[in-house]
């Protein structure tokens, strides 16, 4: 069994064939999927999916790229949704210095507010980090994020940064990039970080793993991520599947 811990089945890219995409995931033994909502539209769709499918769960939060659009009413709405039994985390939240839609100070303020929210509702946080590692780690420390812990989503940092995040009660989640031939750092993280601290994800429809790189990603491909980690660790893929599934169920407090 596999769990895709981060997938955007609420994306427009699946409008025409969502049922087929979900069925291919189930056929590949991807037995649970966590859909991430990160603005009004995607949160609403994520909640609809949790109602329609017993094996789909939701994470709700506000993406840093769109931080400038987030209102207090939006945060109150997210807090109210956090009470739903199938909402299992707050995210994806964090910092993104690659795009310049939202100023850094606006992103940082919203990041801190959503950490506070997560601590209030006692849910783990799912971290988006792009070109902002030092500030992400500093804010997590300053805001006591270890109290709720969570996931470093699609982790691209060093082994040293991974260990720093693990010390703050965070899981390291690897996606399609670990399968890319020239991805030395993710492969090193997969090799050196113990299975008990790892999760697998697709971030579909983005970041499709090899040999589907450049195409639309989908949750069935999370098995390719697990296979690459198994290869790097020189162990059966079943062992990776079992461990990452156990880790996900525990983190999200989902009964098997």
């Amino acid at each position: 069994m596999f769990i895709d811990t981060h997938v955007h089945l609420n994306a427009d890219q699946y409008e025409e064939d969502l049922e087929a995409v979900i069925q291919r995931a189930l056929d590949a033994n991807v037995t649970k999927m966590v859909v991430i909502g990160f603005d009004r539209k995607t949160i609403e769709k994520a909640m609809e999916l949790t109602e329609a499918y017993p094996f789909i769960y939701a994470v709700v939060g506000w993406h840093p790229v769109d931080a400038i659009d987030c209102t207090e009413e939006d945060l109150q709405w997210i807090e109210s949704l956090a009470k739903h039994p199938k909402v299992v985390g707050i995210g994806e939240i964090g910092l993104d210095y690659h795009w310049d839609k939202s100023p850094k100070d606006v992103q940082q303020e919203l990041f801190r507010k959503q950490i506070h929210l997560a601590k209030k509702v006692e849910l783990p946080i799912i971290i988006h980090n792009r070109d902002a590692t030092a500030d992400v780690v500093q804010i997590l420390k300053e805001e006591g994020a270890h109290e709720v812990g969570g996931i470093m989503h699609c982790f691209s940092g060093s082994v040293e940064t991974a260990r720093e995040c693990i010390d703050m009660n965070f899981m390291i989640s690897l996606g399609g990039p670990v399968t890319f031939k020239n991805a030395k750092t993710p492969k090193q993280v997969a090799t050196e970080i113990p299975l008990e601290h790892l999760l697998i994800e697709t971030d579909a429809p983005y970041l499709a793993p090899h040999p589907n790189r450049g195409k639309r990603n989908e949750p069935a491909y999370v098995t390719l991520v697990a296979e690459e980690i198994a290869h790097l660790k020189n162990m059966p893929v079943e062992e990776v599947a079992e461990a990452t599934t156990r880790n996900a169920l525990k983190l999200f407090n989902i009964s098997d």
Side-chain angles (χ1 to χ4, degrees):
M1 294 195 311
F2 302 88
I3 295 180
D4 187 350
T5 61
H6 195 113
V7 59
H8 299 282
L9 290 174
N10 45 356
D12 292 343
Q13 288 92 326
Y14 299 117
E15 268 188 350
E16 295 184 3
D17 64 344
L18 179 62
E19 285 289 337
V21 168
I22 290 172
Q23 189 58 53
R24 281 194 291 273
L26 296 174
D27 291 345
N29 289 324
V30 182
T31 58
K32 289 182 174 62
M33 294 159 247
V34 181
V35 174
I36 312 299
F38 55 83
D39 60 15
R40 277 271 169 181
K41 178 182 175 182
T42 59
I43 290 172
E44 288 172 354
K45 181 65 174 177
M47 297 307 297
E48 289 173 12
L49 289 168
T50 66
E51 299 291 345
Y53 299 95
F55 46 83
I56 288 180
Y57 297 80
V59 162
V60 296
W62 209 271
H63 199 285
V65 168
D66 299 314
I68 199 165
D69 300 324
C70 187
T71 66
E72 286 301 318
E73 288 77 16
D74 292 324
L75 291 175
Q76 290 169 11
W77 179 54
I78 289 168
E79 183 176 334
S80 69
L81 291 176
K83 301 184 179 86
H84 191 286
K86 292 186 78 181
V87 170
V88 293
I90 301 298
E92 59 189 275
I93 67 176
L95 302 175
D96 191 314
Y97 293 170
H98 179 77
W99 306 106
D100 60 2
K101 176 182 175 182
S102 296
K104 291 180 180 179
D105 61 328
V106 174
Q107 292 190 38
Q108 291 173 12
E109 181 183 7
L110 181 61
F111 188 18
R112 293 179 191 275
K113 284 182 177 179
Q114 291 188 95
I115 294 172
H116 294 171
L117 190 161
K119 289 165 74 171
K120 184 176 179 181
V121 299
E122 299 181 328
L123 287 176
I125 52 178
I126 288 69
I127 302 300
H128 173 101
N129 166 29
R130 189 165 186 188
D131 301 340
T133 300
D135 286 355
V136 165
V137 171
Q138 181 180 346
I139 288 172
L140 290 174
K141 289 180 177 177
E142 289 176 355
E143 300 299 337
H146 66 276
E147 293 177 26
V148 288
I151 302 173
M152 305 307 292
H153 146 61
C154 207
F155 186 78
S156 60
S158 66
V159 171
E160 291 72 26
T161 301
R163 289 178 176 142
E164 196 172 4
C165 294
I166 289 166
D167 287 345
M168 290 190 291
N169 197 25
F170 281 82
M171 303 293 293
I172 305 301
S173 186
L174 297 173
V178 76
T179 71
F180 299 168
K181 291 178 180 177
N182 297 324
K184 293 180 181 177
T185 303
K187 290 182 189 297
Q188 188 179 10
V189 168
T191 303
E192 296 192 30
I193 297 303
L195 262 181
E196 66 200 74
H197 301 299
L198 293 181
L199 297 172
I200 54 176
E201 63 168 271
T202 59
D203 199 23
Y206 317 107
L207 295 174
H210 177 81
N212 303 301
R213 188 175 184 180
K215 300 177 183 177
R216 184 189 69 172
N217 200 0
E218 56 181 74
Y221 297 164
V222 79
T223 58
L224 298 171
V225 176
E227 287 169 6
E228 178 64 16
I229 295 171
H231 169 72
L232 292 165
K233 288 186 172 296
N234 193 28
M235 62 173 58
V237 69
E238 291 81 8
E239 196 171 333
V240 174
E242 181 183 352
T244 54
T245 295
R246 182 172 61 247
N247 294 344
L249 293 174
K250 181 179 178 182
L251 177 88
F252 289 128
N253 194 27
I254 297 173
S255 55
D256 194 1

